[in-house]
Structure formats: C-alpha cells, structure tokens
Amino acid sequence: LVDSVQPYNWTGFYVGGQLGGISGTNASASRYSSPWWSADIYSSAAMSSLTGGIHAGYRWQFGNVVTGLEASYNLASLESRWTDNWSYTKSIKRTWDADIMGELGYAVDRFKISAIGGAAVTKFSVNEDVYGYGAESASVIRWAPRVGVRMEYALTQKVIAGLQLDHTRWGTISHYNSS
C-alpha cells in the first residue's frame, strides 16, 4: 500500500494571536487667532510601537481559492509629542484598534497568499497644553478602511505562521484654538 499525502485544507474556524510593529506619521495643522491676527502652524512627528492582539475567523476553500472573514483586536502604545513654535505642547495617542476583514486568497497546499480588506476602528486621544494657560483634550473614535496582503504557511495541521502588511488611513482630526 502507498500512503497518499492529502493537501492542506484551509476550511474551518480558527483563533490565534499576533505580534508585530506599527508605525505612522502624525501631521498637525493648527490655526491660532484673535480679533487682530491669525497664524497657521504646521508640524509632523513620526510614531511607532510594538503591537499584539487576538484574532478569530472562518475560511472556506474551493479548489485553490480561499475566502474568509476575520475579526481582530490589537493593543499598542502609539504616541507622539511635539512643541510648536508658539510653545504649545501637543500629543496624540492611540492604544488599541479592532477590525473586521474579508480575505480572498490562493493556496498551494500549505502556502497561501491573500488580499485582505475591511473596516478598522480606533480611539485617538488628543491633548494640547498651552504654556501658562492650561490644557485642552479630546477623544475621537475613528473608523477607516484597511487593506493589505497576507502570506501564511501551515507548519502543522493546527499551527500557522504568517506575515501581514496592511494600511489604514485614519484621516484628519480637526482642532481649532481661539485666544
């Protein structure tokens, strides 16, 4: 008798964890004004952090085509602080995000590459400390589209390792200051 090796099947429910890195750029534009003058201040700051979280989903495989849905929740300590030319100290912080993503991929036995896309949500905390005049702060919940690519390899029937690169553009948080 000859043992035949069955190709890996990506169909089914899965749950797991992820660990990675996150980076971004915070660009700031502020308008300061009074009845007699106004000024626009522009600045930017890079930010990066480790990130980690949990995910769960379900996949269906039809021949070599794999499709699925996944939800994830991630923690990070992403923060940038800067001081503009007017001695206003500003910061923006994000500590979590979550998403719901669809997947469309192509599998060759234990290897799979997929396009992913969906919706992401996070909370930004924005602070502005005006030297000698006190501080203002606000929190904003923001939804945004998330797209990317994912490559995975099934090490065993139950353990999968992968690499995912995705992009989310959170948009603009408006802040107006009046003296």
Side-chain angles (χ1 to χ4, degrees):
L1 269 200
V2 175
D3 280 335
S4 66
V5 176
Q6 293 293 320
Y8 188 80
N9 188 340
W10 292 89
T11 297
F13 177 76
Y14 63 94
V15 63
Q18 64 265 2
L19 181 64
I22 187 169
S23 66
T25 301
N26 170 42
S28 171
S30 299
R31 170 163 283 191
Y32 302 96
S33 66
S34 74
W36 303 279
W37 62 272
S38 70
D40 293 328
I41 305 294
Y42 300 95
S43 60
S44 67
M47 47 188 169
S48 62
S49 172
L50 290 176
T51 183
I54 57 173
H55 61 265
Y58 194 89
R59 290 186 179 125
W60 298 268
Q61 183 170 354
F62 307 99
N64 291 86
V65 176
V66 179
T67 186
L69 292 172
E70 178 180 289
S72 71
Y73 180 81
N74 301 288
L75 296 174
S77 181
L78 197 59
E79 182 174 15
S80 70
R81 293 180 177 275
W82 66 100
T83 301
D84 67 21
N85 295 339
W86 294 73
S87 298
Y88 286 65
T89 301
K90 300 178 181 188
S91 69
I92 187 164
K93 185 175 186 177
R94 182 166 70 95
T95 57
W96 62 270
D97 73 58
D99 61 41
I100 299 174
M101 306 272 275
E103 171 183 18
L104 180 60
Y106 187 82
V108 178
D109 194 23
R110 293 180 175 273
F111 176 77
K112 180 177 66 66
I113 187 165
S114 303
I116 54 176
V121 63
T122 194
K123 177 181 168 185
F124 287 99
S125 298
V126 181
N127 293 295
E128 185 171 340
D129 186 11
V130 182
Y131 181 75
Y133 295 102
E136 295 181 13
S137 64
S139 292
V140 177
I141 300 289
R142 183 62 52 98
W143 286 87
R146 180 170 282 171
V147 295
V149 64
R150 176 186 295 158
M151 293 179 289
E152 294 177 293
Y153 186 81
L155 301 171
T156 70
Q157 286 298 110
K158 298 192 184 271
V159 177
I160 298 171
L163 173 67
Q164 177 173 313
L165 302 170
D166 56 44
H167 176 76
T168 309
R169 184 167 178 87
W170 295 107
T172 302
I173 299 172
S174 299
H175 192 322
Y176 178 76
N177 220 349
S178 174
S179 300

